[in-house]
Amino acid sequence: MTTCAAVALVTTALAGCSGGTASPDASATSADPQVLSALRKAATATEKAGSAQVDGTSKTGASSSARHGVLDWSHTPTTGRLTVTGTGAGQTRSLRKAVYVRVSDSVAASMGGRHWLKYGAAGAGTLAGQLGASDPAGPVKELIASGDVRKVGPVRVRGVKTTHYLGTTASQRIELWIDKRGLVIKSLQKDDGSAGSTTTTAYYGHYGTHVVVKAPPAADTVDYTALLKAQSASPSASAS
């Protein structure tokens, strides 16, 4: 496999890991004031919790993936670890100054047997933003801004008593299940994009968990910038 193909595969994997959020419509204000008050409490409580374990799924047409890991959004950028199976399978480790993405064995074969790509400050911001898309406070803020949200009623989610909320933004349908502490236990986001409808479901638990993220061994890591330079200098890249 060529270095160019390796870069393409890794880019595809990263796209599968990104949650993507819609821009909220700040002009809408039709929601019940009590509902908005409950959501503001949830946004504050969830942000204050700072970290959590997360698992969930993402489906677009016939493609689907599952993910699990831990996130720490108590500082910027969001740090954590996520493992994705299915479409866009891979692992991501996000530290404050770098993001590492694990590639498959077939891609690693084109990188001298190394399994991790390192993104420095230039690329880490985008990848950390993708990881931050899993921050449970994000969809809460979007519904507050859109104002198009209503209370559905009480529901148990994995044994936890929650209140179900349903609303829309400019391009998404968002559902939230929030417990009595104001913490998001489950979120569902449906986005009708050009590539088809994407439904992302996430479950959160163990809020406040201690998140430790370590960089992979240097001997098993390739710098992404160096990989791109190697790609541009390869004969196949020149020919194209």
Side-chain angles (χ1 to χ4, degrees):
M1 178 181 291
T2 66
T3 305
C4 179
V7 173
L9 280 177
V10 172
T11 302
T12 301
L14 290 176
C17 291
S18 63
T21 56
S23 299
D25 178 6
S27 64
T29 56
S30 60
D32 184 327
Q34 291 186 340
V35 170
L36 290 178
S37 177
L39 291 181
R40 291 189 185 101
K41 174 186 174 183
T44 299
T46 301
E47 279 194 329
K48 186 176 180 180
S51 63
Q53 293 182 8
V54 58
D55 69 272
T57 60
S58 182
K59 297 181 179 180
T60 303
S63 300
S64 64
S65 62
R67 69 191 66 188
H68 65 86
V70 290
L71 298 174
D72 184 342
W73 58 88
S74 62
H75 46 70
T76 302
T78 298
T79 59
R81 305 186 308 273
L82 284 179
T83 298
V84 178
T85 57
T87 303
Q91 296 179 39
T92 301
R93 298 182 187 180
S94 178
L95 285 74
R96 292 196 180 190
K97 294 184 178 181
V99 175
Y100 298 85
V101 177
R102 196 182 196 285
V103 301
S104 65
D105 289 341
S106 60
V107 174
S110 70
M111 304 192 320
R114 300 187 181 192
H115 292 84
W116 291 89
L117 276 175
K118 176 184 178 181
Y119 295 78
T126 299
L127 291 171
Q130 293 178 350
L131 196 68
S134 297
D135 175 353
V140 182
K141 294 177 182 177
E142 290 188 50
L143 285 186
I144 292 172
S146 77
D148 183 9
V149 57
R150 63 184 176 86
K151 177 180 176 180
V152 179
V155 180
R156 279 189 178 270
V157 176
R158 294 184 172 180
V160 178
K161 292 181 179 179
T162 71
T163 300
H164 182 196
Y165 297 90
L166 169 65
T168 60
T169 66
S171 62
Q172 281 189 321
R173 169 183 170 133
I174 298 177
E175 296 184 60
L176 299 171
W177 290 259
I178 299 171
D179 72 5
K180 64 181 181 181
R181 301 169 296 174
L183 298 176
V184 177
I185 302 301
K186 177 183 176 182
S187 70
L188 186 150
Q189 295 170 266
K190 185 175 181 180
D191 187 352
D192 294 320
S194 58
S197 178
T198 298
T199 301
T200 302
T201 305
Y203 295 87
Y204 299 91
H206 299 281
Y207 275 93
T209 189
H210 182 52
V211 177
V212 177
V213 186
K214 296 182 179 180
D220 198 24
T221 302
V222 174
D223 185 87
Y224 184 64
T225 302
L227 185 66
L228 287 180
K229 289 181 179 179
Q231 173 193 344
S232 62
S234 67
S236 59
S238 301
S240 59

